[in-house]
Amino acid sequence: VVASRQGEVRSRDLAEERTFTGQTDLGDAIDGAPVLTDRLLIAPISAGGDGVVAYDIVRGRIAWKLDAEPHAAGLLRVGDTLVAASLLGTIRALDVRTGAVQWELASDSVQAVHASPVLLDAATVAVVDDQGRISAHSLTDGSPRWTADLEVPVYATPAVADGLLLVPTTRGQFVALDAATGQRRWTYAAATPTTRLTSPATDRRTLFVGTSDGTIAALDVQTGDVRWTHTEDGVIAAAPHLAGDVLFVGSLRKRVFALDAATGTVRWQTEIGGRVKTAPLVAGGYLV
């Protein structure tokens, strides 16, 4: 299923290449990553109107809508609960099947949330706003667990690995926090303080992050020590994708390349028709 910024949703039959099985218009821009269940496509709508829309892909109709302020961040699904954060900083937990609000927290600031919420453990969710303020909440009722302030803007979605919350920033820093307490464990500094970092990929031992200066860095998850770096001549704006022992990366120079995850050595690269702004995907032997 593919969602566009024009609000269109298209589905493709993966068994038959280039065969469209359906299309619908959700009415406004879809800027965050949708969530797909066995029958619902749930999308955050950011340009106005309904905040979250669930489309029944079996019956071909809208299943439910959350009429709220615009939602720009991606959505986090945990079982029957959907966590959504808005451009106004509001955090909501919704019932996946009905859209009913389970709990809601209004922000005490005017900071927007662009990064998707992340699950710290089975019972705790974390949200990062665009000024680097992080809040961890109970998934059950939204009660606070801890807060932290990185004091640098964050737009890319963090990752969680080996008890750490791994946060990329727009000011040349990659910060690791203890997922249970929010205490800072280590900080990686890029070559220049204006460097913007992507969401990371990780195998729980090593994390891989791209930067706006064209560098891919492999860091030790527990210490932040650099294992290797590789530099391209184009901006890396999208998260890399790790598949087995290969790291796939796309750049704004219309190039996709595959790196050996252990060494950073280039295995192959190819030119494509457009700038890569979203993370590559791997399925069934295909790189998409």
Side-chain angles (χ1 to χ4, degrees):
V1 178
V2 179
S4 78
R5 293 194 66 185
Q6 286 70 44
E8 293 181 347
V9 177
R10 297 185 178 188
S11 58
R12 287 176 180 256
D13 185 345
L14 295 183
E16 299 181 33
E17 294 183 15
R18 292 178 294 208
T19 299
F20 287 101
T21 60
Q23 178 174 322
T24 191
D25 187 347
L26 297 185
D28 224 323
I30 304 169
D31 276 340
V35 167
L36 187 65
T37 72
D38 56 345
R39 66 178 302 140
L40 295 179
L41 179 132
I42 309 173
I45 307 298
S46 69
D50 299 294
V52 181
V53 176
Y55 183 79
D56 190 319
I57 58 176
V58 177
R59 295 185 177 182
R61 66 189 187 191
I62 300 293
W64 55 261
K65 296 180 180 180
L66 173 69
D67 188 9
E69 72 273 7
H71 284 67
L75 306 171
L76 171 67
R77 180 193 176 194
V78 186
D80 290 333
T81 298
L82 187 76
V83 182
S86 80
L87 279 171
L88 299 184
T90 305
I91 307 167
R92 294 182 178 89
L94 312 175
D95 186 290
V96 168
R97 298 160 297 182
T98 67
V101 177
Q102 298 173 343
W103 52 263
E104 179 176 316
L105 297 173
S107 173
D108 60 358
S109 73
V110 295
Q111 309 305 335
V113 177
H114 294 271
S116 297
V118 294
L119 192 66
L120 296 179
D121 57 43
T124 311
V125 63
V127 177
V128 187
D129 71 23
D130 63 1
Q131 294 303 305
R133 299 199 325 166
I134 306 171
S135 57
H137 303 272
S138 165
L139 188 62
T140 303
D141 59 11
S143 57
R145 295 289 176 84
W146 55 260
T147 61
D149 193 348
L150 303 184
E151 299 181 340
V152 287
V154 176
Y155 285 81
T157 298
V160 178
D162 204 20
L164 296 176
L165 176 64
L166 306 163
V167 188
T169 77
T170 62
R171 297 283 174 84
Q173 295 182 15
F174 197 100
V175 182
L177 304 179
D178 188 297
T181 65
Q183 296 298 310
R184 188 179 296 223
R185 294 275 292 273
W186 55 259
T187 300
Y188 164 78
T192 58
T194 57
T195 298
R196 186 166 180 161
L197 288 88
T198 70
S199 296
T202 180
D203 61 3
R204 308 189 71 82
R205 299 181 306 276
T206 306
L207 68 88
F208 307 90
V209 60
T211 71
S212 57
D213 63 7
T215 298
I216 296 291
L219 310 176
D220 183 283
V221 166
Q222 284 297 323
T223 65
D225 292 341
V226 178
R227 293 185 170 174
W228 55 258
T229 61
H230 172 81
T231 302
E232 288 287 310
D233 61 356
V235 172
I236 309 299
H241 181 88
L242 182 65
D245 60 353
V246 182
L247 187 72
F248 297 100
V249 185
S251 79
L252 296 190
R253 289 295 298 270
K254 304 180 181 182
R255 182 179 300 131
V256 173
F257 48 97
L259 304 178
D260 185 292
T263 65
T265 303
V266 177
R267 292 192 177 184
W268 57 259
Q269 57 185 340
T270 187
E271 303 288 334
I272 61 173
R275 297 184 296 170
V276 182
K277 293 186 175 183
T278 58
L281 297 175
V282 175
Y286 289 93
L287 175 68
V288 183

